[in-house]
């Protein structure tokens, strides 16, 4: 798949006020937001993310749909929370599950809650859970993301991994993953995220923290370079599964991913998937040297499961 031309980011408004840790009380529900999947949002998202599948076009027999990841923009969470977490907060996981395909032009309600908040083992971790409902009040999908609240020691530790010595990954690890008897291996789907794409995605999604979009700021940090937004670097997995499963993926596909390593601006990542059982895949993204940056699983619900989930509370 070709990567569309990256749109030029518009001038950025001031960043949101920084939240306090105490603001994120566990099980707290925040105000619901209304989101319309209009033509401009879908166009700009596809240009920044690379999700350029014909299903997301305006014309054609398979067109008229909207990508589920276009509803995961951090600006929606920040608008509901009334602020942002500190620069340097690290995303650990991203999960998305669809119960039906999203359609271009429809309006959804996004309900946000803090699923849990812990401060164990010297880390402060919070998880945001979003439920998407259509005009009839039916659930069309869910999302969750767990993040480590910014702490200088935690951010510096991860950044040093990124800036450290050259990779010692073996030549064997750099090769394509070994085939397993009876298992279908998909990939690689390769992509790289230029600083211009980070800036365009950041302007669209509200992910404008300077570690993502400001090269002067990033140069002064332990990472030494801008870091791609977590919700952006998972898009190759969605593209790979959509290419394999077609509209079924839009109707009832999902994944649960762990972000193991940050990805610098300009670095190449490769998405892979290996079938483990009917409707279940092991998925991951790695760098050309074989170092994995994302790991997790993708699932395709049975049609009856997806329909039942729409009516669950």
């Amino acid at each position: 798949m070709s990567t569309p031309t990256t749109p030029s980011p518009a001038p950025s408004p001031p960043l949101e006020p920084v939240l306090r840790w105490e603001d994120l009380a566990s099980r707290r529900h925040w105000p619901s937001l209304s989101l319309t999947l209009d033509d401009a949002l879908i166009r700009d998202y596809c240009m920044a993310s690379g999700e350029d599948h014909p299903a997301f076009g305006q014309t054609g027999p398979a067109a008229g749909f909207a990508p589920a990841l276009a509803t995961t923009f951090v600006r929606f969470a920040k608008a509901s929370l009334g602020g942002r977490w500190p620069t340097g907060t690290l995303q650990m996981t991203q999960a998305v599950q669809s119960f039906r395909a999203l359609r271009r032009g429809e309006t959804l309600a996004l309900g946000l809650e803090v699923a849990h908040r812990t401060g164990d083992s010297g880390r402060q971790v919070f998880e945001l859970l979003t439920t998407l409902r259509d005009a009839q009040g039916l659930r069309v999908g869910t999302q969750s993301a767990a993040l480590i609240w910014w702490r200088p020691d935690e951010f510096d530790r991860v950044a040093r991994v990124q800036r450290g010595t050259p990779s010692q990954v073996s030549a064997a690890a750099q090769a394509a993953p070994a085939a397993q008897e009876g298992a279908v291996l998909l990939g690689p789907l390769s992509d790289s995220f230029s600083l211009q794409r980070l800036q365009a995605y950041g302007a669209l999604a509200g992910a404008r923290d300077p570690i993502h979009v400001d090269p002067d700021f990033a140069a002064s940090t332990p990472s030494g370079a801008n870091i791609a937004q977590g919700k952006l670097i998972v898009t190759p997995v969605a593209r790979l599964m959509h290419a394999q499963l077609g509209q079924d993926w839009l109707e009832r596909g999902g994944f649960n991913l762990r972000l193991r390593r940050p990805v610098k601006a300009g670095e190449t990542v490769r998405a892979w998937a290996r079938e483990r059982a009917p409707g279940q895949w092991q998925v991951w993204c790695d760098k050309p040297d074989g170092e994995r940056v994302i790991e997790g699983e993708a699932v395709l619900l049975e049609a009856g499961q997806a329909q039942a989930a729409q009516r669950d509370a």
Side-chain angles (χ1 to χ4, degrees):
M1 297 180 188
S2 61
T3 300
T5 303
T6 303
S8 299
S12 297
L15 291 174
E16 303 86 355
V18 177
L19 296 167
R20 301 171 303 162
W21 175 248
E22 293 75 18
D23 294 327
L24 301 179
S26 294
R27 313 311 305 181
R28 178 173 177 179
H29 291 258
W30 299 79
S32 180
L33 297 177
S34 178
L35 165 65
T36 299
L37 300 170
D38 59 33
D39 293 344
L41 183 145
I42 296 172
R43 179 199 64 223
D44 291 346
Y45 169 77
C46 290
M47 291 174 70
S49 70
E51 283 206 75
D52 57 342
H53 195 281
F56 305 139
Q58 293 181 267
T59 60
F65 296 97
L69 287 177
T71 67
T72 65
F73 294 160
V74 71
R75 66 180 166 94
F76 302 141
K78 291 177 178 178
S80 186
L81 294 170
R84 65 183 178 96
W85 34 89
T87 294
T89 293
L90 299 170
Q91 184 175 354
M92 300 168 56
T93 66
Q94 179 68 57
V96 175
Q97 180 62 58
S98 297
F99 304 134
R100 73 156 172 82
L102 303 181
R103 297 175 179 86
R104 179 183 287 266
E106 74 172 315
T107 297
L108 304 174
L110 283 68
L112 179 74
E113 66 174 287
V114 179
H116 71 258
R117 188 192 75 156
T118 61
D120 298 337
S121 304
R123 286 184 171 185
Q124 293 174 310
V125 177
F126 64 104
E127 182 179 10
L128 300 176
L129 174 64
T130 302
T131 301
L132 289 78
R133 296 185 183 274
D134 63 16
Q136 288 71 48
L138 298 178
R139 294 200 312 167
V140 298
T142 57
Q143 311 159 6
S144 67
L147 302 96
I148 303 176
W149 190 262
W150 177 79
R151 290 168 49 123
D153 55 343
E154 189 66 30
F155 181 71
D156 290 351
R157 181 187 67 79
V158 175
R160 282 194 298 271
V161 171
Q162 277 298 104
R163 200 178 189 180
T165 57
S167 174
Q168 301 299 313
V169 179
S170 67
Q174 297 181 38
Q180 295 182 356
E181 184 176 355
V184 176
L185 179 67
L186 307 177
L189 187 154
S190 298
D191 201 355
S192 61
F193 301 99
S194 66
L195 176 59
Q196 290 73 26
R197 286 180 68 186
L198 268 58
Q199 291 170 334
Y201 180 84
L204 178 65
R208 298 178 291 108
D209 281 0
I211 191 60
H212 300 313
V213 301
D214 185 338
D216 293 333
F217 174 87
S220 69
T221 68
S223 68
N226 292 98
I227 300 300
Q229 297 92 338
K231 289 177 170 56
L232 181 60
I233 64 172
V234 304
T235 55
V237 173
R239 293 168 58 195
L240 180 65
M241 300 309 298
H242 189 186
Q244 173 68 15
L245 300 174
Q247 187 169 334
D248 285 345
W249 175 254
L250 303 183
E251 296 283 357
R252 42 198 172 91
F255 54 66
N256 190 349
L257 305 176
R258 184 171 189 85
L259 284 62
R260 295 186 55 185
R261 295 286 188 274
V263 174
K264 292 181 181 180
E267 287 190 312
T268 296
V269 296
R270 309 178 300 182
W272 304 84
R274 178 181 283 124
E275 189 175 25
R276 297 192 304 189
Q280 297 181 11
W281 289 263
Q282 176 192 11
V283 295
W284 68 96
C285 288
D286 63 13
K287 299 178 184 179
D289 66 3
E291 181 185 31
R292 292 194 179 186
V293 297
I294 292 175
E295 289 183 324
E297 65 173 359
V299 297
L300 186 68
L301 299 178
E302 296 287 343
Q305 290 178 301
Q307 292 172 1
Q310 293 182 40
R311 293 171 172 79
D312 288 349

